[in-house]
């Protein structure tokens, strides 16, 4: 959010006044802006798009309070016991298979495979490295 917008954030009472003025003015956003500027002279940056956004928010949720964003961030997946069993059988058949190969064989997400290997099957990723032999 730009710095200027943070300084003039509308409080709940002002948002309610905007919605009230919108319906009083016959659902005219331009008239709502002029009435609001007369009622709140300190707040001069209100525009018609803000009025329409606040009204649609009110009509959709029935409140002017800020709502918590509950579904933001990466979607969490559920580790199902059936998938853990499939992964365990795959590891028993070929213990040196990579997560990419397991993904190709089972269709499970690679990140899910890595999580199940670590948390549920208590295994660690092992990457053999070719190094120079030690001599005396």
């Amino acid at each position: 959010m730009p710095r200027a917008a943070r300084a003039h954030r509308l409080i709940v009472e002002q948002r309610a006044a905007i919605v009230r003025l919108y319906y009083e003015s016959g659902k005219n956003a331009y008239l709502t802006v002029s009435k609001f500027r007369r009622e709140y002279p300190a707040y001069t940056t209100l525009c018609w798009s803000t009025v329409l956004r606040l009204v649609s928010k009110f009509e959709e949720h029935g409140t002017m309070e800020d709502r918590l964003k509950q579904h933001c961030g990466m979607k969490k997946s559920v580790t199902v016991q059936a998938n853990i069993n499939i992964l365990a059988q795959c590891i028993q058949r070929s213990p040196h298979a990579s997560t990419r190969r397991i993904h190709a064989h089972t269709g499970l997400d690679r990140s899910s495979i890595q999580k199940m290997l670590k948390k549920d099957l208590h295994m660690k990723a092992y990457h053999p490295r070719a190094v120079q032999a030690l001599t005396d």
Side-chain angles (χ1 to χ4, degrees), residues 106-123:
T106 61
L108 299 172
D109 286 340
R110 286 182 53 214
S111 60
S112 297
I113 292 170
Q114 291 168 340
K115 289 175 192 173
M116 286 187 280
L117 283 173
K118 185 172 183 175
K119 292 181 180 178
D120 300 316
L121 300 177
H122 307 291
M123 301 178 103

Side-chain angles (χ1 to χ4, degrees), residues 58-118:
F58 175 73
E59 289 174 349
E60 182 179 345
H61 301 294
T63 182
M64 296 311 304
E65 298 286 332
D66 287 329
R67 296 175 55 88
L68 296 175
K69 294 181 181 178
Q70 296 180 359
H71 301 291
C72 58
M74 184 178 241
K75 186 177 179 183
K76 302 215 184 316
S77 62
V78 178
T79 305
V80 182
Q81 189 62 37
N83 289 345
I84 296 171
N85 294 339
I86 291 170
L87 181 60
Q89 289 173 1
C90 192
I91 294 292
Q92 281 179 347
R93 273 187 261 128
S94 56
H96 297 291
S98 66
T99 55
R100 287 182 182 183
R101 187 164 292 166
I102 294 170
H103 161 70
H105 180 68
T106 61
L108 299 172
D109 286 340
R110 286 182 53 214
S111 60
S112 297
I113 292 170
Q114 291 168 340
K115 289 175 192 173
M116 286 187 280
L117 283 173
K118 185 172 183 175

Side-chain angles (χ1 to χ4, degrees), residues 29-60:
Y30 295 105
L31 193 57
T32 303
V33 170
S34 62
K35 285 183 177 182
F36 182 80
R37 286 181 180 163
R38 275 187 250 128
E39 211 172 297
Y40 296 94
Y43 195 86
T44 59
T45 58
L46 182 69
C47 64
W48 63 270
S49 61
T50 305
V51 171
L52 295 178
R53 182 178 45 81
L54 287 173
V55 169
S56 68
K57 180 180 175 181
F58 175 73
E59 289 174 349
E60 182 179 345

